[in-house]
Amino acid sequence: MNLGDLLRARGRESASSTALFCRDRAISYAELDTSSEALAGWLLQQGLQPGDRVAIQWPNEIEAVQLYFAIFKAGLIAVPLNLRLKPGEIAWILENSGAKICFSHPMLAEGMKQAAITLFTAVPEAQAGGRTLPAVPEDSVAVILYTSGSTGRPRGAVHTHRTLIETTRIMTGDFLATYGTGIEFRGLIMTPMMHASGVYMLLGSLWAGQPCVLLPLFDPAAVLDAIEKYRCAHTLTLPALMQFIVEEQERRPRDMSSLRIIFAGGDSVPVALQQRVREVLGVEMLEGLAQTETGPSISNPLSGPKQGSIGRAVKGVEVRVVDATGKDVADGGTGELLVRSPAVCTGYWGDAAATGEAIRDGWFHTGDLVTRDPEGYFWFQGRKKEIIIRGGSNISPQEVEEALYRHPEILEAGVVGMPHAVWGEQVVAFVALRQGSTAGEEAIRTHAREHLADYKVPEKVHFKEVLPKGATGKVHRKALKDELLKHL
């Protein structure tokens, strides 16, 4: 099966069922299948050949879904562009991927004017009866998902039709086993479908034959309004976004009675935030671990999370925890997480060296440091390149941030290590306070000292109105560190 076949099957089996809601529009599975089929033929009529790359820069709208599946059905390769990218970043991805054409929403097209590429600012309403569509092998490339590039130039993770279908199968397995397909279980896609998390959730809804609601651009009020209006039962978000959603619900409560589960990942989810979600929204926030390259690999079970952990290995995914020499680490020890599954990407586009470094002996080296407890639950400790080493002791930025988030006046926190003449590195924290807060540096350090060993307490605390975010919405520690380095 390829992704086009998956939609064709839904178009037959759930023809009249609604596939997508967006603003005041709705489209059935049959209509989505038919429109994407016609659009696929139109793409090939433009002179594109199977294997050619097509860039997409579009918010979460029905047109974006039609484009994705038209590209899949035509045997082309989708290259989604994050909506936050600047012209220089876009130019790099277009050059690296070799994209032939780009579909850019009119409100985003200004950043594309300098790009030497054929640009479309509208999705045509193609008519059926165009070119015959090619057979698309399941091992052919479907999409190149560029990482946020927090450690340098973005790298394009290559996913085939097979790896994306396996990602979807793995992601929905526990969900469908628990809830089945006999009831309507609407999901809300609030993360961009130009990013892996949005793509995975879209495909998960399609796999389950369920409707999903598209939120074109993130806004906490719009998230809550959509859940209330469309009676959404689940969604996926980032911790940084969830903070603002909870704040908005406290300001103006909506009816959240339809909501059952909130999935969260992309960064460590503070326990304090999980508790606030439970209190304010009345649902569990299930933390997990997924990467653009691997799809979901670890997740808390639907029956309820183990507070503070990222969960257990997802069914169908093999994991290992290894030390710097590649030897397995015993439970209770910290090491790098390795993942092996049919959902792992095949490598990085045009970068054999990076592919060889990341995928060794069939195992994907995530760069995430974790600890596994005797019950098989994993605890996120940080990224290998972000660990702070102070006086020979390893300090996880996430651990310090977790302590800071327990302070009732802190809205956002980011922790980095900075060079120190005596200790090698010192701990530096950046915080954004809640509106009206008057907490000072010493009060925050005193609070941190109540929860952390002295050597982990930030030596310095810097205050900002808002912390910088990466392309995926996570607090961008590298940007914080770069800001400090400029003043050394």
Side-chain angles (χ1 to χ4, degrees):
M1 180 185 291
N2 60 48
L3 293 166
D5 292 336
L6 176 58
L7 178 56
R8 292 182 182 107
R10 285 289 167 262
R12 293 190 301 269
E13 298 163 4
S14 308
S16 60
S17 300
T18 300
L20 307 170
F21 293 95
C22 184
R23 295 193 177 97
D24 295 323
R25 300 169 60 196
I27 185 172
S28 70
Y29 273 109
E31 290 169 332
L32 180 59
D33 181 36
T34 300
S35 61
S36 62
E37 197 91 3
L39 185 55
W42 182 89
L43 287 171
L44 295 176
Q45 287 176 332
Q46 308 314 301
L48 296 172
Q49 300 294 321
D52 284 344
R53 276 74 68 200
V54 177
I56 313 174
Q57 187 186 39
W58 213 273
N60 289 0
E61 295 181 343
I62 291 172
E63 288 79 5
V65 181
Q66 291 171 319
L67 280 171
Y68 264 128
F69 280 96
I71 290 169
F72 297 153
K73 289 179 175 183
L76 304 169
I77 301 171
V79 181
L81 300 173
N82 194 293
L83 307 187
R84 297 183 181 187
L85 297 182
K86 297 293 190 286
E89 297 169 306
I90 292 171
W92 159 255
I93 292 176
L94 294 178
E95 179 182 356
N96 182 256
S97 66
K100 295 288 185 70
I101 66 173
C102 178
F103 288 88
S104 183
H105 191 278
M107 71 178 185
L108 302 167
E110 184 67 27
M112 297 292 301
K113 286 187 175 179
Q114 297 178 356
I117 192 170
T118 302
L119 179 64
F120 295 92
T121 57
V123 178
E125 294 186 9
Q127 300 298 314
R131 281 190 52 175
T132 301
L133 301 184
V136 180
E138 62 178 12
D139 285 331
S140 49
V141 178
V143 65
I144 306 172
L145 293 168
Y146 280 82
T147 63
S148 60
S150 60
T151 57
R153 289 285 196 182
R155 295 184 297 190
V158 177
H159 277 283
T160 66
H161 288 256
R162 174 184 288 176
T163 62
L164 287 180
I165 285 176
E166 292 298 337
T167 296
T168 306
R169 192 196 311 274
I170 289 169
M171 184 174 67
T172 58
D174 188 35
F175 190 88
L176 292 177
T178 301
Y179 295 106
T181 58
I183 59 172
E184 189 173 281
F185 208 66
R186 295 183 186 183
L188 171 67
I189 302 181
M190 71 170 81
T191 57
M193 290 189 296
M194 300 298 102
H195 179 258
S197 59
V199 172
Y200 297 157
M201 190 163 179
L202 171 68
L203 294 178
S205 294
L206 182 69
W207 182 268
Q210 294 286 346
C212 63
V213 179
L214 307 180
L215 193 69
L217 295 173
F218 175 79
D219 175 77
V223 169
L224 295 167
D225 290 343
I227 293 172
E228 182 178 54
K229 176 180 178 179
Y230 291 103
R231 309 298 296 158
C232 298
H234 66 99
T235 189
L236 182 152
T237 187
L238 300 166
L241 303 182
M242 203 63 225
Q243 294 274 9
F244 298 106
I245 294 169
V246 171
E247 294 275 324
E248 172 64 24
Q249 177 68 358
E250 287 182 320
R251 278 193 292 268
R252 184 166 69 86
R254 279 78 155 182
D255 179 3
M256 295 288 104
S257 59
S258 66
L259 195 60
R260 298 192 188 182
I261 297 169
I262 297 175
F263 299 98
D267 205 352
S268 182
V269 183
V271 171
L273 175 59
Q274 295 182 49
Q275 292 171 341
R276 290 189 72 212
V277 168
R278 191 181 304 110
E279 293 167 1
V280 176
L281 298 176
V283 296
E284 290 289 353
M285 190 174 183
L286 297 186
E287 185 174 3
L289 186 68
Q291 289 188 335
T292 299
E293 294 92 338
T294 65
S297 55
I298 295 173
S299 179
N300 269 288
L302 291 170
S303 56
K306 190 170 186 177
Q307 290 294 321
S309 80
I310 54 176
R312 298 180 299 207
V314 177
K315 185 177 181 180
V317 177
E318 299 176 81
V319 298
R320 293 172 59 198
V321 182
V322 302
D323 62 20
T325 67
K327 294 182 179 178
D328 290 308
V329 174
D331 288 348
T334 298
E336 182 183 6
L337 177 71
L338 273 55
V339 174
R340 182 167 67 182
S341 85
V344 171
C345 73
T346 59
Y348 295 107
W349 184 265
D351 196 336
T355 298
E357 178 65 21
I359 305 175
R360 286 173 260 162
D361 299 323
W363 290 92
F364 184 84
H365 292 243
T366 67
D368 287 329
L369 297 175
V370 299
T371 299
R372 179 173 51 204
D373 68 19
E375 296 176 90
Y377 283 80
F378 291 83
W379 304 77
F380 187 62
Q381 302 298 333
R383 296 282 297 171
K384 285 177 66 177
K385 295 182 179 180
E386 292 177 343
I387 286 295
I388 302 165
I389 304 177
R390 185 186 187 276
S393 297
N394 288 358
I395 302 171
S396 163
Q398 281 80 9
E399 182 183 8
V400 181
E401 290 167 1
E402 178 78 44
L404 293 176
Y405 274 117
R406 295 182 185 180
H407 193 292
E409 297 184 53
I410 291 179
L411 179 63
E412 294 182 314
V415 171
V416 299
M418 291 302 296
H420 190 274
V422 176
W423 300 109
E425 283 188 293
Q426 63 179 345
V427 181
V428 178
F430 287 80
V431 299
L433 299 177
R434 299 186 191 283
Q435 188 173 6
S437 172
T438 58
E441 179 175 10
E442 194 52 42
I444 289 174
R445 294 184 74 249
T446 299
H447 165 82
R449 197 173 288 110
E450 295 173 358
H451 301 280
L452 298 167
D454 285 347
Y455 73 92
K456 298 179 182 179
V457 174
E459 278 96 340
K460 296 182 180 179
V461 179
H462 297 275
F463 296 87
K464 297 176 73 70
E465 289 187 8
V466 63
L467 300 191
K469 310 292 194 305
T472 61
K474 296 184 287 186
V475 171
H476 203 313
R477 297 190 188 95
K478 183 177 184 298
L480 294 173
K481 190 164 187 173
D482 288 345
E483 181 179 323
L484 286 178
L485 290 172
K486 290 179 182 178
H487 300 289
L488 287 182

